[in-house]
Amino acid sequence: GRCPSLANQKGLKLEVSTRGNDPDTLGKKLIYVYDSNKFPFHQAEIYHQFHDDFLTPPYGKTYNSLVEVALDDGLLKQTGCPDRF
């Protein structure tokens, strides 16, 4: 597929996770790939989807706005929890 070649072009390594709960990859040029049948998605509160990390520079509005796209497309659902604090 396209992902491995795009990752290689950017100097990134793709690694299949076999255990989950992998350590942070910040600064390592490493992307863990998860089998979604083995590690299904569990949605958290909307606030926790596509927000900036609190210890690094902001990711940018393009990244932050992905939450609205995911809601509009039905990929995320309202949970009933407060959206913002």
Side-chain angles (χ1 to χ4, degrees):
R2 288 184 51 200
C3 289
S5 64
L6 289 173
N8 286 336
Q9 288 174 16
K10 299 291 184 181
L12 302 170
K13 177 183 177 190
L14 300 179
E15 185 174 307
V16 176
S17 176
T18 58
R19 61 185 180 103
N21 198 26
D22 297 290
D24 195 351
T25 61
L26 182 64
K28 296 181 181 178
K29 295 192 174 199
L30 172 65
I31 300 169
Y32 286 112
V33 179
Y34 291 87
D35 179 339
S36 60
N37 291 315
K38 194 172 185 180
F39 301 101
F41 173 72
H42 298 280
Q43 181 182 320
E45 296 87 352
I46 297 295
Y47 172 75
H48 290 289
Q49 309 299 316
F50 303 103
H51 72 77
D52 297 326
D53 185 0
F54 298 109
L55 303 176
T56 62
Y59 298 153
K61 292 182 187 213
T62 300
Y63 175 80
N64 299 144
S65 68
L66 289 174
V67 69
E68 298 304 326
V69 173
L71 282 166
D72 291 346
D73 288 348
L75 299 172
L76 293 178
K77 309 271 188 240
Q78 293 293 343
T79 62
C81 294
D83 189 32
R84 302 279 187 257
F85 294 90

